[in-house]
Amino acid sequence: MCTKDWYGIFSTALHKECFTQGEIQQIYKIEMEARTFFDFGGIVPDFLILQNIERDSKKIRYYWDSRSSEAMCPFCGMMSNKECKDYFDKPLQDIPQGGLAVYHVVRRKKYFCENLNCPHTRFVERLDGFGEETARKTIRFKKYCVERALENGCKPAEDALKRDGALVSNDSIARYLKVESAKQIESNLKRNDVRVLAIDDINLRKGDKSTGCTVLIDEETHRVLLIIRGT
Ligand SMILES: [Zn+2]
């Protein structure tokens, strides 16, 4: 499979135009900043710097380096500026582009936690709003999958996403849908303004008595508050 990379194409073209190596580096840096602004502005955390882009017939890979100077320990909440000089790389799949799967390969920094009471001595910096700690997909890609599944169901969503170039299974889509539904129900449950409670029963699998559930609903807003196994 033939892979092309942005820096290779860019530097070869500028070299032919007799730009010096220093000039090529300078123009390339501006080019990467412009690409970040137009394609991922407000999506990718500001401390990530785009290094290169690779493309073959099936996927595009964006390579990012972290330029953070501090990060918050996710276990105790204390800020740290003590870097470990150790990194964590994991590709995160994003919304497909032009029939191709999209991946972000982010080189995340590790920091020491200086809080003596914290159960962890080191941690990987987080990409808040972009990708969760151990996730293989970006948060917005998961939302994109959930939206497709809500329109037509998980299997048709998988087929549609595959046609768009993404690589995602029906099982993963169902998992994202469950997590999103659980969050929604949790937030509905926290509200204390329910005035009329409605009770209904549903069956997750038609004709199977063991999969019956009781559903508690806010009658006025029709929000689901709770689903209990058994009727
Ligand atoms: Zn900590």
Side-chain angles (χ1 to χ4, degrees), residues 181-191 194 197-198 200 202 214-219 221-228:
S181 316
K183 275 188 208 156
Q184 189 63 55
I185 288 177
E186 197 184 339
S187 74
N188 289 346
L189 207 53
K190 278 182 189 152
R191 298 163 61 235
V194 179
L197 188 66
D200 201 354
I202 55 163
T214 303
V215 189
L216 304 187
I217 301 160
D218 178 341
E219 175 63 15
T221 61
H222 300 114
R223 284 170 187 268
V224 173
L225 300 169
L226 199 59
I227 302 174
I228 307 163

Side-chain angles (χ1 to χ4, degrees), residues 73-78 113-115 118-120 123:
C73 171
F75 307 105
C76 69
M78 190 184 265
C113 180
E114 295 178 277
N115 177 3
C118 181
H120 296 266
F123 63 90

Side-chain angles (χ1 to χ4, degrees), residues 2-71:
C2 174
T3 304
K4 300 265 186 217
D5 81 288
W6 197 279
Y7 181 74
I9 292 171
F10 197 85
S11 57
T12 308
L14 288 187
H15 197 72
K16 273 187 197 155
E17 297 295 325
C18 302
F19 283 89
T20 66
Q21 200 52 34
E23 286 167 338
I24 292 172
Q25 295 294 340
Q26 227 172 342
I27 300 168
Y28 184 70
K29 190 170 166 264
I30 297 165
E31 162 75 6
M32 288 289 101
E33 282 168 9
R35 292 275 307 181
T36 304
F37 179 81
F38 282 103
D39 294 347
F40 300 107
I43 295 164
V44 168
D46 290 342
F47 59 84
L48 296 185
I49 309 295
L50 186 58
Q51 303 296 308
N52 201 358
I53 307 165
E54 274 182 6
R55 179 188 172 142
D56 61 34
S57 60
K58 292 212 159 80
K59 59 186 179 300
I60 304 177
R61 277 173 172 257
Y62 291 86
Y63 290 87
W64 304 86
D65 265 5
S66 167
R67 293 289 157 82
S68 65
S69 54
E70 57 175 16

